[in-house]
Amino acid sequence: MMEVKDVASTALAQNPVIGRMLEYNHEQLVFCNDNETGLKAIIGVHNTILGPSLGGTRFWNYNNETEALIDVLRLSRGMTYKSSVAGINLGGGKAVIIGDPKKIKSEALLRRFGKFINTLGGKYITAEDVGVNTRDMETIHNETSYVAGLPVSMGGGGDPSPVTAYGVYVSMKASAKEVYGNDSLAGKKVLVQGLGNVGMHLVEYLAKEKAVLYVYDISEERVKIAVGLHSATSVTPDKMFDLDIDIYAPCALGATVNDDALSKLKCAIICGAANNQLADEKVHGEVVTKKGILYAPDFVVNAGGIINVYYELEGYVRERAMAHAEKIYDTTWNIIQTAKTEKIPTYMAANRIAEKRIEAIGKIKVRF
Ligand code: NAD
């Protein structure tokens, strides 16, 4: 007799696309092909209840179509939750272009992709992601106005990192309030991993508040700046999780909250900018809770980026974006309280809050 698991995998093998759309609860997928330019892309529109779907385009050399399909489904669903919990009127979307950008990226390919985006009439708005830069956005913009993340010279919001860093900073303060009874970060030992655009701005905020800073980046240049300008202490990757710290701020790569790190990590709070910090959301979301570490969910903490883009669509004013990013303090606080009341991990509380908002707004939208 076939087991339930076997039945499910057989069903998925027979329905590899719509079967997965059902699993991820997707509205629409658009498959794009152009033999002339070599463009092969998938646009994923996950949910448009709150507004047009928005999310970056990832240009990546996927091993096969299934990998690309799963990535676009996963990433676009993630955008739905991120925008919902950030309290902005955007749905979740994402696109992937299949291939090595170093080999196949061209003006013609990007413009052809722009034409495909344009056919959706604003249901999907694109932005930068891995393998696609601001200049590429300008190229795509030749064919469609449904592009965000443009430079200031083109009416865009420019670099979102200062807004993202501010959101991380206020989220860290809200987390501190829960753990220490007040939101001061003065004297708190914070490890910042990754001193890029976001990490360096974050270090600046923390230094101003007199936090004790430990930093690591694979770029020695970036470390030198943080040490020189902000009196941070440089640490090595093999030793950084042995440190006795209060707060760990992952601001480089995803999946750094994994079995290995958690076996050593001695901190009270994890709060940083990196996407997908938990190597396995379900497993490590539970482990951090059991270890008594307060994990501020990454997609809540780093929402400054999407908030910045949202205000670009409305005619960009940085002050408005910063004012909205400040609300990440209250959002983080509410999530922590929900997690405590419902006795669930914080990532799950954030998901529930996001789902509730979509459900509530979905109900008012059908009444004309
Ligand atoms: P960035 O590319 O400017 O900086 C990343 C930094 O991490 C670089 O300085 C790099 O040298 C360093 N780095 C890379 N590998 C490392 C490693 N193994 N250990 C330590 N450092 C390493 O990126 P960013 O814009 O600062 O974004 C940082 C993170 O935040 C990324 O995960 C990004 O996806 C996420 N994020 C950024 C924004 C934004 O507004 N820029 C918004 C949301 C999420």
Side-chain angles (χ1 to χ4, degrees):
M1 202 166 69
M2 269 179 118
E3 285 189 34
V4 177
K5 211 169 62 186
D6 299 331
V7 174
S9 57
T10 309
L12 206 57
Q14 286 166 352
N15 307 285
V17 179
I18 296 180
R20 284 199 172 84
M21 288 177 80
L22 277 166
E23 190 187 324
Y24 283 79
N25 199 8
H26 258 73
E27 273 181 34
Q28 194 177 6
L29 282 179
V30 182
F31 291 85
C32 317
N33 178 62
D34 184 61
N35 287 359
E36 292 295 317
T37 59
L39 172 75
K40 289 179 195 62
I42 313 173
I43 300 170
V45 175
H46 177 253
N47 187 299
T48 56
I49 288 177
L50 296 177
S53 72
L54 194 149
T57 292
R58 184 165 290 190
F59 205 142
W60 192 254
N61 202 7
Y62 293 99
N63 289 315
N64 52 58
E65 283 175 19
T66 308
E67 240 184 40
L69 175 66
I70 292 173
D71 215 25
V72 80
L73 289 167
R74 190 177 62 83
L75 294 168
S76 50
R77 180 176 64 180
M79 291 308 297
T80 298
Y81 281 78
K82 183 181 276 206
S83 287
S84 175
V85 85
I88 52 181
N89 298 323
L90 287 175
K94 200 93 182 180
V96 294
I97 300 179
I98 302 167
D100 184 346
K102 287 198 188 91
K103 291 188 183 144
I104 67 163
K105 197 199 276 181
S106 67
E107 181 192 350
L109 179 147
L110 291 171
R111 289 181 70 156
R112 186 71 187 94
F113 179 58
K115 281 185 184 292
F116 277 113
I117 292 173
N118 208 45
T119 61
L120 290 171
K123 195 172 185 182
Y124 169 67
I125 303 168
T126 197
E128 283 175 53
D129 198 78
V130 180
V132 179
N133 56 37
T134 321
R135 208 174 294 161
D136 299 330
M137 284 299 120
E138 289 181 45
T139 306
I140 294 171
H141 191 251
N142 284 308
E143 305 297 337
T144 179
S145 57
Y146 303 119
V147 177
L150 291 168
V152 179
S153 58
M154 292 185 70
D159 178 14
S161 312
V163 182
T164 305
Y166 186 57
V168 179
Y169 168 65
V170 297
S171 187
M172 203 179 274
K173 284 180 81 64
S175 306
K177 187 177 168 193
E178 169 65 21
V179 174
Y180 306 111
N182 71 70
D183 69 9
S184 169
L185 297 172
K188 295 289 177 289
K189 290 180 239 161
V190 187
L191 166 66
V192 180
Q193 180 196 31
L195 299 164
N197 293 321
V198 180
M200 197 64 88
H201 284 292
L202 176 64
V203 160
E204 215 176 306
Y205 281 117
L206 296 174
K208 262 190 207 143
E209 199 166 323
K210 303 214 168 355
V212 179
L213 291 164
Y214 296 93
V215 295
Y216 170 62
D217 194 296
I218 47 168
S219 153
E220 284 178 23
E221 271 312 297
R222 303 298 288 177
V223 173
K224 265 190 204 156
I225 297 172
V227 171
L229 286 182
H230 306 298
S231 308
T233 302
S234 158
V235 295
T236 53
D238 54 323
K239 298 270 163 54
M240 66 183 178
F241 290 132
D242 297 326
L243 290 168
D244 215 343
I245 51 167
D246 298 300
I247 302 167
Y248 167 46
C251 295
L253 311 166
T256 64
V257 183
N258 50 37
D259 289 337
D260 186 39
L262 284 171
S263 68
K264 301 179 203 156
L265 202 55
K266 291 179 281 291
C267 68
I269 296 167
I270 298 175
C271 179
N275 280 311
N276 306 316
Q277 290 166 24
L278 301 173
D280 181 317
E281 192 175 63
K282 283 197 184 105
V283 175
H284 301 108
E286 291 283 350
V287 178
V288 285
T289 314
K290 284 201 181 115
K291 280 186 74 116
I293 298 174
L294 173 58
Y295 167 67
D298 49 14
F299 66 97
V300 177
V301 176
N302 69 21
I306 190 77
I307 289 169
N308 197 60
V309 159
Y310 176 64
Y311 283 96
E312 183 174 321
L313 303 176
E314 299 212 326
Y316 190 71
V317 181
R318 176 138 295 197
E319 287 68 32
R320 289 186 70 200
M322 286 298 258
H324 198 125
E326 194 159 337
K327 294 183 187 168
I328 295 176
Y329 184 108
D330 291 338
T331 309
T332 305
W333 180 256
N334 289 339
I335 286 163
I336 296 168
Q337 303 319 310
T338 304
K340 275 201 316 195
T341 314
E342 298 187 17
K343 296 188 174 52
I344 52 174
T346 46
Y347 82 87
M348 210 183 271
N351 284 345
R352 282 195 192 166
I353 288 171
E355 282 162 8
K356 267 190 193 159
R357 177 165 178 246
I358 294 168
E359 205 183 308
I361 303 302
K363 280 182 188 149
I364 64 154
K365 280 206 167 162
V366 293
R367 297 182 195 177
F368 291 97

